Amino acid sequence: MIVLMFAMVCGVYICSVCLKQTSIHSKIKFQDIQVVERLSPDDDHGNLQISSVHYPNPKTFSRAECAHNPVRYFAILSMQRSGSGWFETLLNSHVNVSSNGEIFSVLDRRRNISSITQTLDKVYNLDWFTSASKNECSAAVGFKWMLNQGVMQHHKEISDYFNRRGVFAIFLFRRNLLRRMVSVLANSYDRHAKLLNGTHKSHVHSTEEAKTLAKYKPMINSTLLISDLKEVEITAAKALEYFNSTRHIVLYYEDLIKNPTKLKDVQAFLGLPLMELMSRQVKIHKGPLSDHVKNWEDVNKTLNGTAYESFLQADY
């Protein structure tokens, strides 16, 4: 009886140990499967790269040894005086980027969707030549496109084109729309006044030129101010809605100024090797906005206590 009882106790102990080991093994195996099946962000990025790189075959020249180098297509979608010119010079300082300027400023290129498509095809086939063209070995090619240059009018066809051709959209806006308005009015005035020795310049490369242009203080229509600011906000919101299905990134001028790491996000978005990006452009309207608006008291009174009150403060 003693031997029998001892054998039974040993049997129960051995069974319990085996069951415990089996349970632990099963749990570990299940967890391993969960980890293996879950796609990491890096895997997702890799899949995106596979579906969005291109190998253009230009009609006007041969890519030669770079024929097997993949190219990404992009478009900077923005509004006038939102920092797009400065941003584009930063991109073009990258040895692998060709951003070809504001190509749709010419009316004939945006007269209808057919002319728009033809222009886009030429740019993305590397057959568009500007001083920014890196031609054979470009890794990313694009241009900047203002929202009022046919983008909103033909948004459906352009969005479809972007999705079909794998074009990456880079939205660039300004948070402080009052600063943008000051820049728009001052630039419009200089088109006629030509303050720099009889020459109009939208962008400058010296502090002396910047100070000369900043001397002009525009008069802002305080009666229409809030409705004008709302209109710009609505336009930006509509653009984001129209192109929501595309591969896109949203940037703000102020964030790029204050946080240089944002430029790394842009390079990662375009699949570029990281480089330090530089621009020779000099900011024109520096310091408090009160120094740059002729009827500042009216503007201050109009915006105080509204959703746009923060625009009155220096934001960088």
Side-chain angles (χ1 to χ4, degrees):
M1 289 293 291
I2 292 173
V3 172
L4 181 60
M5 289 179 65
F6 180 79
M8 289 175 63
V9 169
C10 289
V12 170
Y13 176 77
I14 291 170
C15 286
S16 66
V17 170
C18 290
L19 287 171
K20 187 175 182 181
Q21 288 179 340
T22 302
S23 175
I24 293 172
H25 178 72
S26 299
K27 186 181 292 183
I28 293 173
K29 188 174 181 181
F30 175 72
Q31 290 174 343
D32 288 344
I33 291 173
Q34 291 288 87
V35 171
V36 169
E37 289 181 346
R38 187 185 300 120
L39 292 175
S40 69
D42 290 336
D43 290 333
D44 289 338
H45 185 64
N47 291 337
L48 189 62
Q49 283 183 325
I50 292 171
S51 63
S52 60
V53 295
H54 312 274
Y55 300 88
N57 183 23
K59 298 177 181 178
T60 51
F61 70 96
S62 170
R63 294 190 72 202
E65 67 274 11
C66 295
H68 298 292
N69 289 7
V71 178
R72 272 219 174 127
Y73 304 154
F74 69 88
I76 304 166
L77 303 180
S78 187
M79 301 183 193
Q80 284 82 357
R81 314 310 295 176
S82 295
S84 61
W86 168 72
F87 176 70
E88 188 176 43
T89 61
L90 287 170
L91 281 186
N92 275 326
S93 71
H94 196 293
V95 295
N96 300 120
V97 176
S98 295
S99 191
N100 295 285
E102 200 172 317
I103 61 176
F104 285 108
S105 60
V106 178
L107 181 59
D108 284 343
R109 297 171 186 164
R110 65 175 196 267
R111 194 169 295 279
N112 52 51
I113 191 59
S114 177
S115 58
I116 289 175
T117 301
Q118 290 175 9
T119 302
L120 291 174
D121 286 343
K122 191 172 181 180
V123 171
Y124 294 133
N125 204 45
L126 302 185
D127 285 316
W128 192 275
F129 297 103
T130 66
S131 58
S133 302
K134 270 80 172 186
N135 297 337
E136 291 90 348
C137 293
S138 291
V141 61
F143 60 97
K144 64 173 182 171
W145 199 351
M146 301 298 103
L147 297 184
N148 63 353
Q149 294 173 350
V151 176
M152 305 299 280
Q153 182 182 355
H154 302 286
H155 64 86
K156 187 181 185 306
E157 295 88 347
I158 295 169
S159 177
D160 290 344
Y161 181 96
F162 280 11
N163 285 322
R164 185 173 68 254
R165 297 295 307 273
V167 178
F168 284 60
I170 302 174
F171 286 96
L172 177 63
F173 300 122
R174 287 188 83 150
R175 294 188 184 278
N176 193 326
L177 301 181
L178 182 59
R179 278 192 176 270
R180 174 184 176 271
M181 182 179 289
V182 170
S183 184
V184 167
L185 293 173
N187 185 64
S188 178
Y189 171 80
D190 189 67
R191 289 182 186 276
H192 306 286
K194 297 180 172 60
L195 299 176
L196 296 173
N197 298 320
T199 303
H200 168 63
K201 289 187 178 181
S202 295
H203 308 99
V204 296
H205 299 98
S206 73
T207 54
E208 291 76 16
E209 290 178 326
K211 288 178 181 178
T212 299
L213 292 181
K215 288 178 181 178
Y216 170 71
K217 296 183 179 183
M219 176 84 74
I220 293 177
N221 187 330
S222 57
T223 304
L224 299 175
L225 179 55
I226 290 179
S227 61
D228 288 344
L229 294 175
K230 283 182 179 178
E231 184 179 348
V232 176
E233 280 185 329
I234 291 170
T235 300
K238 282 184 177 179
L240 292 175
E241 180 184 351
Y242 291 157
F243 291 87
N244 186 50
S245 65
T246 65
R247 299 174 176 88
H248 66 273
I249 184 173
V250 182
L251 303 171
Y252 291 92
Y253 173 75
E254 291 84 351
D255 297 344
L256 293 172
I257 291 286
K258 293 186 289 188
N259 186 3
T261 60
K262 289 290 182 182
L263 293 175
K264 294 182 179 179
D265 295 340
V266 177
Q267 293 178 75
F269 177 67
L270 294 177
L272 298 168
L274 287 180
M275 287 186 61
E276 184 179 353
L277 307 182
M278 297 175 292
S279 173
R280 293 176 51 240
Q281 284 192 14
V282 177
K283 184 173 175 58
I284 296 172
H285 297 100
K286 296 182 179 180
L289 269 175
S290 55
D291 294 342
H292 303 291
V293 178
K294 190 172 184 179
N295 59 329
W296 177 251
E297 289 185 5
D298 292 339
V299 171
N300 188 65
K301 184 179 179 180
T302 301
L303 296 186
N304 255 318
T306 70
Y308 305 109
E309 184 176 7
S310 61
F311 293 171
L312 300 169
Q313 310 302 320
D315 44 15
Y316 51 86

